[in-house]
């Protein structure tokens, strides 16, 4: 398989006046295949969000290159859509308008009718037909995040970047959204990178789990392949030997090899 | 009947009666101070305490006898025209300037010290200088209003721009908005409530300024009228003038508040 997205020797330094640079992330090299779902997991402060921001282009790497389909990533762009942790919906636009705004900008060639069809398709993909004319403040946190996902997918990105997408939600809502994401992924194949600190979420959703060592100078510690068949059922998985193996591998990485002391 | 509503109606009436009583007491203490009754007659017409039949100031507010003698309506109108001319100019200049100040750190560093110095200058300090420049009553009044009411608009607009959530700007970056799209689709919707707060403050200042400015410049206008009535020894009309200034100012603020609410997405006054 040809290279789809590759990170080549990424390093991120933050200058500190009067001191040596703070090296947040160093020597991160990774190849991501098309339609692969990977999660990046690590303790807080391991630079996983910094890494995602560099892939999205919102932040520039100090060293190394990020190449998507043979093109160097320079700055943000709609082919790398981001689902932000706090959803980032514009509060003065309705659910429908939030998605419409993005589609209109990225696909200016669409006719009024095509635009409407596309927006409605993605509204219904996340089951929000009933709430499409509501403002973000009038819907629940889980629904907002679904709109965020719909908005990101509606602009047909090559890569979907999710920065702790369900981190701010309660565990039941989180499970519900994970189901949504898996169901959507089955119909619209996508390359997805998820930042998470939730072990179950990482195993349930991913093809590969990237485990980051602790910062400063964080890097990739181990990469775990999750060889579970899809569609995955969270209840049935609990006793699946592969699921248990993956969970244990991540647990031992995070709490034995790279345990983090409370500061 | 709703007891809350009863209190809302009854309590202001009670306070009104106390004010009238205090006023009546002052009238007995200060020689020639107009009593509430005489002031009422001077406003709406009738027979005053001296037994004279008088025309009220408000019974024919629209009369025009000659260029120098016009009804109270025309005085208020002249003042409002100057206020809105100066206020309009302040919006036209203040909003873009505030946007620039909020978006550019360089602009903020460059201009902020001067804004802080100009802001507290009294309109009366500007007036002689502006009168000297323009040699014209209208231009002087309008420019005085402009220069004293522009600061809250600039400051609040800049504050609004700075309050834009960084995440919204990240959304704009990912979608590759042009700078113009960034302003119209992200920055303005967030800043509009702040801009209107600035405009409301600014209009309040403009209305304060006009009365003082007109007293010094003369000609026509509610401020001039109050001063003129002082020179004519019509003290009851001064009180009428004060009440009119207060009521008009209150109405202006009320209207501005309604407009502000209409454009504030947080209050659901959705534009589209």
């Amino acid at each position: 398989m040809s290279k789809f997205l590759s990170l080549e020797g990424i390093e991120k330094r933050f200058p500190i006046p009067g001191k040596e640079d703070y090296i947040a992330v160093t020597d991160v090299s990774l190849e991501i295949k098309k339609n692969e779902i990977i999660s990046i997991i690590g303790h807080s402060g391991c630079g996983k969000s910094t890494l995602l921001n560099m892939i999205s282009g919102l932040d520039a790497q100090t060293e190394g290159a990020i190449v998507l389909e043979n093109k160097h990533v320079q700055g943000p762009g709609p082919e790398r859509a981001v689902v932000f942790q706090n959803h980032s919906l514009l509060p003065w636009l309705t659910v429908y308008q939030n998605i419409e705004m993005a589609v209109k900008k990225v696909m200016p060639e669409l006719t009024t009718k095509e635009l409407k069809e596309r927006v409605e398709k993605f509204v219904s993909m996340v089951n929000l037909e009933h709430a499409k004319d509501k403002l973000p403040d009038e819907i629940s946190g889980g629904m907002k995040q679904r709109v965020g996902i719909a908005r990101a997918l509606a602009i047909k990105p090559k890569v979907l970047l999710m920065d702790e997408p369900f981190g701010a939600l309660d565990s039941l809502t989180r499970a519900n959204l994970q189901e949504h994401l898996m169901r959507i992924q089955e119909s619209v194949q996508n390359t997805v990178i998820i930042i998470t600190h939730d072990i179950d979420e990482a195993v349930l959703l991913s093809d590969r789990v990237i485990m980051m060592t602790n910062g400063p100078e964080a890097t990739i510690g181990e990469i775990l392949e999750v060889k579970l068949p899809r569609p995955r059922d969270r209840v049935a998985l609990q006793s699946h030997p592969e699921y248990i193996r993956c969970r244990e591998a991540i647990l031992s990485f995070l709490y034995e090899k790279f345990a983090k002391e409370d500061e | 009947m709703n007891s809350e509503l009863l209190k809302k109606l009854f309590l202001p009436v009670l306070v009104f009666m106390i004010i009238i009583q205090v006023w009546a007491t002052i009238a007995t203490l200060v020689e020639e101070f107009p009593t509430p009754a005489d002031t009422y007659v001077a406003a709406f017409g009738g027979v005053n305490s001296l037994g004279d039949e008088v025309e009220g100031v408000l019974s024919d507010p629209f009369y025009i006898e000659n260029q120098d003698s016009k009804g109270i309506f025309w005085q208020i109108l002249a003042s409002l025209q100057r206020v809105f001319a100066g206020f309009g100019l302040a919006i036209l200049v203040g909003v873009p300037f505030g946007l620039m100040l909020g978006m550019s750190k360089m602009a903020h560093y460059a201009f902020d010290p001067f804004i802080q110095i100009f802001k507290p200058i009294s309109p009366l300090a500007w007036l002689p200088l502006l009168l000297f420049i323009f040699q014209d009553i209208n231009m002087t009044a309008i420019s005085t209003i402009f220069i004293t009411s522009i600061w809250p608009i600039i400051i609040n607009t800049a504050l609004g721009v700075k309050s834009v959530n960084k995440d919204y700007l990240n959304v704009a970056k990912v979608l590759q908005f042009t700078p113009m799209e960034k302003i119209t689709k992200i920055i303005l919707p967030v800043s509009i409530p702040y801009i209107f707060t600035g405009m409301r403050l600014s209009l309040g200042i403009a209305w304060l300024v006009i009365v003082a400015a007109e007293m010094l410049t003369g000609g026509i206008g509610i401020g001039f009228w109050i001063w003129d009535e002082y020179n004519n020894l019509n003290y009851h009309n001064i009180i009428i003038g004060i009440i009119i200034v207060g009521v008009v100012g209150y109405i202006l603020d009320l209207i501005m508040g309604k407009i502000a609410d209409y454009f504030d997405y947080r209050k659901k006054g959705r534009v589209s």
Side-chain angles (χ1 to χ4, degrees), chain A residues 58 76-78 80 82 84 86 88-92 94 97 101-102 105-106 135 138 151 155, chain B residues 165 167-171 173-178 181 185-187 189-190 265-266 268 270 272:
Chain A
L58 289 169
R80 282 160 285 121
V82 185
F84 297 93
N86 53 358
S88 295
L89 301 180
L90 303 181
W92 54 90
T94 62
Q97 289 167 331
M101 172 208 68
K105 172 66 190 168
V106 178
L135 289 175
E138 298 166 336
R151 180 175 66 181
I155 59 177
Chain B
N165 192 326
D167 295 322
Y168 302 162
L169 295 177
N170 280 340
V171 171
K173 280 184 196 159
V174 169
L175 294 175
Q176 293 181 329
F177 276 2
T178 62
E181 283 173 321
K185 294 193 175 155
I186 310 273
I187 292 176
V190 177
Y265 71 84
R266 295 169 303 189
K268 307 244 177 85
R270 264 188 263 159
S272 53

Side-chain angles (χ1 to χ4, degrees), chain A residues 143-156:
Chain A
M143 286 160 86
K144 281 183 221 179
Q145 203 51 281
R146 267 145 69 188
V147 182
I149 294 170
R151 180 175 66 181
L153 288 173
I155 59 177
K156 211 175 179 193

Side-chain angles (χ1 to χ4, degrees), chain B residues 90 92-119 150-164 182-183 187-188 191 195:
Chain B
L92 281 181
V93 178
V95 171
F97 197 75
L99 285 177
M100 181 184 81
L101 230 57
M103 287 163 74
S104 152
K105 247 202 167 93
M106 299 273 273
H108 178 82
Y109 289 147
F111 291 106
D112 190 59
F114 303 101
I115 291 173
Q116 299 308 332
I117 291 170
F118 280 123
K119 189 178 59 165
I150 194 171
W151 312 113
I153 296 183
I154 294 178
I155 292 167
N156 278 281
T157 304
L159 193 71
V161 176
K162 279 183 204 144
S163 76
V164 175
K182 201 170 92 178
I183 291 177
I187 292 176
L188 272 182
S191 318
I195 294 174

Side-chain angles (χ1 to χ4, degrees), chain A residues 58-115:
Chain A
L58 289 169
D59 210 346
Q61 68 270 20
T62 320
E63 300 281 342
I66 297 169
V67 183
L68 174 62
E69 288 192 321
N70 298 320
K71 272 172 74 182
H72 279 268
V73 164
Q74 266 156 348
E79 78 279 6
R80 282 160 285 121
V82 185
V83 176
F84 297 93
Q85 176 170 13
N86 53 358
H87 64 78
S88 295
L89 301 180
L90 303 181
W92 54 90
L93 297 181
T94 62
V95 166
Y96 182 91
Q97 289 167 331
N98 260 290
I99 300 172
E100 182 190 48
M101 172 208 68
V103 177
K104 219 177 192 168
K105 172 66 190 168
V106 178
M107 302 171 180
E109 71 282 359
L110 293 186
T111 63
T112 318
K113 188 165 161 276
E114 288 168 334
L115 175 70

Side-chain angles (χ1 to χ4, degrees), chain A residues 139-198:
Chain A
I139 59 179
S140 71
M143 286 160 86
K144 281 183 221 179
Q145 203 51 281
R146 267 145 69 188
V147 182
I149 294 170
R151 180 175 66 181
L153 288 173
I155 59 177
K156 211 175 179 193
K158 290 175 181 158
V159 187
L160 183 65
L161 305 171
M162 308 180 91
D163 188 2
E164 299 193 24
F166 315 133
L169 304 171
D170 65 86
S171 57
L172 290 178
T173 312
R174 192 185 307 173
N176 178 344
L177 278 177
Q178 288 161 352
E179 299 294 336
H180 262 287
L181 188 65
M182 286 194 289
R183 192 173 45 73
I184 292 167
Q185 179 64 13
E186 260 172 59
S187 57
V188 213
Q189 291 283 304
N190 241 309
T191 311
V192 187
I193 301 176
I194 305 167
I195 301 291
T196 184
H197 50 237
D198 181 327

